[in-house]
Amino acid sequence: MSGEGLIAEARVMHGDGGMVRLKELMARGTEFLGTEWAILGGAMSWISERHLVSAISNSGGFGVIACGAMSPELLDGEIAGTKERTAKPFGVNLITMHPQLSELIDVCARHEVTHVVLAGGLPPGGAIERIKGNGAKLIAFTPALALAKKLMRSGADALVIEGMEAGGHIGPVSTSVLAQEILPHVAADIPVFVAGGIGRGEAIAAYLEMGAVGVQLGTRFVCAHECIAHANFKKAFIRASARDAIPSVQIDPRLPVIPVRALKNREMENFAAKQREVAQKLDEGAIEMAEAQLQIEHYWAGALRRAVIDGDVESGSVMAGQSVGMVNREEPVADIIQELVDEAAAALGSRG
């Protein structure tokens, strides 16, 4: 056999070793989710609906419906529509501040949703017990180690740690720092998925080696063929670089506004005006703080819809994570997942 043949054979074996290692590192995550790969689809309002969610699940990942500001009736239809398109496991993301959270939990129970993802802060009393009592596994977001431990004591079955590189609502700490702060202390006791700024398989491999059981990606799936986002929205992603995805600015410190990361456009300026309007209503006693926060949430939902559905990428909100610079073409979900898996396996294989 020639020397060239030996090198080629070694490369194949090396690659196989990387894939075996990837499956080993993801084993807890894939068992927890019931999937081939421990890759969660980030829940993005107006985007993570039946078409994209089912495509992610059918491609070996784990799709997650973004309930967002949906009514119980709308969520009911979305779950049913997703079930028509996939027999694979998928989850539903619920926002803790939703005024009809209890009814939304009931809808998930009726459909026997296997995994419920809670986002947006500590859930109200009884929510976790009801979700788990209905037979679903509970996945919760945690932006800090102390909250991670609290959620574990409260009965969360898995955690997602998401850094400020992510799109949409973000916290103040980067993914790499959160992973270092949280994973060493809780990864042995509970499955942890890492999210925020992940666009390539090499990053997936690194977080798995740190103790994560899987990852969550949102931005990377926006330009999938199966995603219903408007062509203008997808073009904005393909043209953008990481530095174009910027966080919104809090105008009034009395108004607790969670920053939102989106591509810079006229809408980011409009949001400042909206904050001033809501703050003035607070000053006048026209609304309470809870209503003020809800108005901000509804504002974002509407701005996002203008961009995603209507294609207005100037006066709409083009929410995107900093990994947007790694999105350079439109392609099928299956190809995106396969590329991520191959990159992760190659990175692990190169470690020897």
Side-chain angles (χ1 to χ4, degrees), residues 1-10:
M1 184 182 289
S2 69
E4 184 180 347
L6 285 170
I7 292 172
E9 185 176 347

Side-chain angles (χ1 to χ4, degrees), residues 25-38:
L25 290 172
M26 279 190 173
R28 281 176 72 202
T30 54
E31 182 181 356
F32 176 78
L33 297 171
T35 56
E36 182 180 2
W37 305 111

Side-chain angles (χ1 to χ4, degrees), residues 160-201:
V160 176
I161 54 178
E162 183 177 68
M164 52 125 30
E165 300 95 322
H169 290 90
I170 57 171
V173 183
S174 72
T175 304
S176 61
V177 171
L178 281 180
Q180 294 174 79
E181 282 187 349
I182 297 174
L183 284 172
H185 299 283
V186 305
D189 302 314
I190 190 170
V192 182
F193 298 86
V194 175
I198 300 174
R200 288 185 58 90

Side-chain angles (χ1 to χ4, degrees), residues 51-116:
H51 297 90
L52 181 59
V53 170
S54 60
I56 291 173
S57 291
N58 286 333
S59 300
F62 187 82
V64 179
I65 294 172
C67 176
M70 282 185 195
S71 66
E73 294 74 22
L74 283 175
L75 178 61
D76 182 75
E78 205 55 54
I79 295 173
T82 304
K83 280 184 167 183
E84 290 173 359
R85 289 167 172 78
T86 185
K88 301 288 183 68
F90 64 90
V92 175
N93 179 292
L94 303 179
I95 307 300
T96 56
M97 71 171 66
H98 197 297
Q100 293 179 286
L101 179 61
S102 180
E103 292 90 333
L104 295 171
I105 292 173
D106 290 339
V107 171
C108 291
R110 283 200 303 274
H111 282 281
E112 298 181 339
V113 170
T114 58
H115 298 68
V116 173

